[in-house]
Amino acid sequence: MSGAEAPGAVDSREGRRPLWVVPHEVPAIVPLPSRSTEPRWVGVYRWAAVGGDLLAAMLGVSIALLTRFGYHVGSSYLVVSSLLPIAWVAVVALSKGYDPRFFGAGPDEFRSLLRAGVGLTAAVAMTSYVTKAMIARGFVVLAIPVMVIAALLLRYALRKDLHRHRVRGRCMHRVLVVGRSGPAATLCEHLESRPTDGFRVVATCRPRGDGHDDGKADAPLQPDELDEPDILAAADRHAVEVVAIATDPELAGQSLRRLSWALEQRGVELIVSPGIIEVAGPRISVRPVAGLSLLHLERPSVSGGPHLMKAVFDRVVALGIILLLSPLLIGLALAVKLTSSGPMLFRQQRVGRAGVEFTMLKFRSMYVDAEQRLSDLYALSDGNGVIFKMRNDPRMTPLGRWIRRFSLDELPQLFNVLRGDMSLVGPRPPLAEEVALYAADDSRRMLVKPGMTGLWQVSGRSDLSWDESVRLDLRYVDNWSMTLDLLILWKTVRAVIYGAGAY
């Protein structure tokens, strides 16, 4: 019996129970693709990406020619300008910029364009040196950066269009998940939690004795129950493009190696989940040791040089923003003072890095008796059970409601950043009573400085549950990098403009 047969069938091989294959519901609008050729959307996306890169290259070359030479361009530069777009597409291809594995998922697609820009610059410099061609440095310095920036923007637009299709259930990779019920269910949940990544689980494949076969789980499991023939039969029956192996000791070593060979002949991709969650790619590396491919998990960076660079960056940027927005800050301070009685600033004790308390500053958005009225409103909280939040808080002033809508009340925290109490990006600064409720793992949030913004700010803010807020903060602490900080700052601008989750 193959692993793709219906539940309840009998295995003719005595002493061995078959795999239990559970098909998942798939929308009827999605046809079963043939694996003899790649899905049609992959070819469309690839050609659109090639066309976008050619357009970006021609734009970069045109701007460089007009800026450097005006309308008097020599014949040699016309030849170079005609070859450069072709060279750009070739370098992007060598950098795996057209690899279907990276279409619409992860930063590798953008990283390949940046690598291609560096590679093309080196190739032009080397060719110029070897052939003694005198290519103007101003032309190269202008053409290639414009080319890379334009390609990134066009690829971003193409990627967003693919995401829109995937949210509607199109342009997806069909996935067969293999493993025991617990790890397999977890892997299914993670693969389908973000449809923009492009994975749709169409079936799961697990041992029949894994507690889901109508009371037949009492017989001992055999070590070869998760084997190659059953998995291949299930993959063929469901016409999958990806086989995902959940963490399982029965599928390892030589058996997993043989499975990879068989799937390679079918044109099916194999992915293996190591069972590690909430850890970003830069911290994970595979290193060969004694003939084995070992997964190494690097320690998160919570001190040292990178955090010194972060501290300098925070202070410089905070000072620049204060100087730039000083008229707005003065105007908001006067507006708060003139529209309601009480101080301009609201001061509150928060817990910072290593549990050290500090005074956090905000523009006052509530009436002065807000703290006294809080106990009467707890039953009406719209928060997450730990943090009190109310969408229509009667303690809020009319001006306060508006400045909270656009997070303008938090601008005085720039001075907390200057003093070193906070960072521009980091976990949400907690109250002492919140810290008292922390579980053992939650205290990791205080390994870094709290931030004015963070993953919680760009992922829903007040709409998040307590567990989601903690999970995002822990993810940030474990995967911090300057690149992540810059990405969060960029997304914060959009979150503030739309005001999602702010109340």
Side-chain angles (χ1 to χ4, degrees):
M1 169 187 161
S2 74
E5 293 180 17
V10 179
D11 191 352
S12 61
R13 290 167 286 184
E14 185 177 355
R16 181 183 182 278
R17 283 168 303 169
L19 290 179
W20 179 267
V21 180
V22 182
H24 286 220
E25 291 187 5
V26 181
I29 61 171
V30 181
L32 290 175
S34 171
R35 288 202 307 267
S36 59
T37 58
E38 65 184 13
R40 180 174 177 272
W41 72 265
V42 173
V44 172
Y45 189 96
R46 181 184 290 113
W47 282 112
V50 171
D53 290 341
L54 283 173
L55 179 62
M58 290 187 288
L59 179 64
V61 167
S62 300
I63 291 176
L65 286 176
L66 290 173
T67 304
R68 182 68 176 80
F69 305 106
Y71 295 99
H72 305 285
V73 182
S75 58
S76 60
Y77 279 97
L78 290 177
V79 174
V80 171
S81 300
S82 61
L83 294 177
L84 207 55
I86 300 174
W88 168 244
V89 171
V91 175
V92 172
L94 291 174
S95 301
K96 299 184 178 180
Y98 307 122
D99 192 328
R101 293 177 299 169
F102 306 137
F103 287 170
D108 298 272
E109 193 173 8
F110 300 126
R111 195 177 293 125
S112 65
L113 295 176
L114 296 174
R115 285 198 304 265
V118 175
L120 183 59
T121 303
V124 170
M126 187 176 297
T127 302
S128 177
Y129 175 78
V130 171
T131 61
K132 306 297 183 182
M134 301 300 292
I135 300 178
R137 284 174 292 183
F139 171 78
V140 176
V141 168
L142 185 58
I144 295 181
V146 171
M147 191 184 304
V148 172
I149 293 172
L152 286 170
L153 293 174
L154 290 172
R155 190 66 67 93
Y156 177 78
L158 183 62
R159 177 190 176 102
K160 297 300 289 185
D161 182 65
L162 177 61
H163 286 178
R164 284 191 289 270
H165 283 285
R166 284 179 168 175
V167 168
R168 298 184 180 98
R170 306 168 188 151
C171 306
M172 306 291 279
H173 297 290
R174 296 170 60 86
V175 182
L176 170 69
V177 172
V178 180
R180 296 184 179 275
S181 58
T186 301
L187 182 56
C188 288
E189 180 182 351
H190 281 278
L191 288 177
E192 296 187 325
S193 61
R194 289 189 9 177
T196 53
D197 287 344
F199 293 104
R200 176 186 288 114
V201 179
V202 296
T204 56
C205 202
R206 60 177 183 262
R208 184 176 291 279
D210 203 21
H212 294 269
D213 55 349
D214 302 322
K216 299 179 181 179
D218 52 341
L221 294 176
Q222 301 299 321
D224 63 342
E225 281 187 292
L226 288 171
D227 68 353
E228 176 191 333
D230 286 326
I231 296 172
L232 294 178
D236 289 338
R237 175 170 181 172
H238 293 281
V240 300
E241 298 155 345
V242 179
V243 170
I245 308 295
T247 307
D248 197 309
E250 294 178 7
L251 271 174
Q254 190 64 25
S255 61
L256 188 59
R257 188 184 186 196
R258 287 196 302 267
L259 177 63
S260 69
W261 292 341
L263 292 175
E264 179 185 354
Q265 294 174 352
R266 287 167 165 76
V268 178
E269 184 180 353
L270 175 66
I271 58 178
V272 180
S273 168
I276 301 174
I277 62 173
E278 302 293 357
V279 177
R283 286 187 56 206
I284 298 176
S285 60
V286 177
R287 303 175 191 170
V289 178
L292 300 174
S293 296
L294 300 184
L295 190 70
H296 286 248
L297 188 63
E298 306 293 343
R299 289 178 295 180
S301 173
V302 295
S303 61
H307 275 264
L308 177 61
M309 180 174 63
K310 176 182 173 72
V312 173
F313 173 80
D314 284 340
R315 286 173 167 82
V316 170
V317 174
L319 180 60
I321 295 175
I322 289 173
L323 294 176
L324 181 66
L325 300 182
S326 54
L328 176 62
L329 292 171
I330 295 172
L332 287 173
L334 292 174
V336 171
K337 186 66 175 177
L338 294 174
T339 56
S340 63
S341 61
M344 294 180 294
L345 295 177
F346 172 72
R347 293 174 170 85
Q348 191 176 46
Q349 291 299 112
R350 297 292 181 108
V351 181
R353 186 178 182 184
V356 177
E357 292 194 6
F358 68 97
T359 302
M360 189 183 73
L361 304 176
K362 298 177 70 174
F363 281 126
R364 183 174 55 81
S365 59
M366 294 185 175
Y367 295 105
V368 290
D369 60 345
E371 292 296 321
Q372 289 74 24
R373 297 166 60 187
L374 178 60
S375 58
D376 299 331
L377 300 173
Y378 260 119
L380 304 175
S381 174
D382 295 316
N384 50 35
V386 177
I387 303 172
F388 177 83
K389 287 286 184 178
M390 219 176 150
R391 294 184 184 274
N392 297 302
D393 197 326
R395 303 172 301 156
M396 204 175 299
T397 65
L399 176 65
R401 198 175 304 279
W402 181 80
I403 62 176
R404 279 203 177 191
R405 169 72 172 75
F406 297 101
S407 299
L408 297 176
D409 61 317
E410 298 178 2
L411 288 178
Q413 292 172 25
L414 290 167
F415 293 97
N416 286 116
V417 176
L418 274 182
R419 292 191 311 198
D421 298 327
M422 295 179 62
S423 174
L424 290 175
V425 182
R428 194 187 66 84
L431 295 165
E433 51 265 32
E434 295 172 18
V435 175
L437 299 175
Y438 279 3
D441 294 341
D442 300 346
S443 60
R444 285 184 60 84
R445 299 168 83 185
M446 292 183 289
L447 289 176
V448 298
K449 294 177 182 178
M452 291 182 62
T453 185
L455 284 175
W456 50 274
Q457 176 89 347
V458 299
S459 304
R461 303 162 83 179
S462 298
D463 292 334
L464 296 173
S465 69
W466 172 254
D467 289 339
E468 289 172 329
S469 176
V470 171
R471 179 177 57 83
L472 289 172
D473 283 344
L474 292 178
R475 180 191 297 177
Y476 175 81
V477 173
D478 283 341
N479 302 298
W480 173 85
S481 69
M482 283 302 301
T483 303
L484 179 60
D485 275 11
L486 293 174
L487 179 61
I488 291 173
L489 288 172
W490 170 256
K491 289 186 174 182
T492 298
V493 176
R494 183 176 59 182
V496 168
I497 292 174
Y498 287 102
Y503 53 88

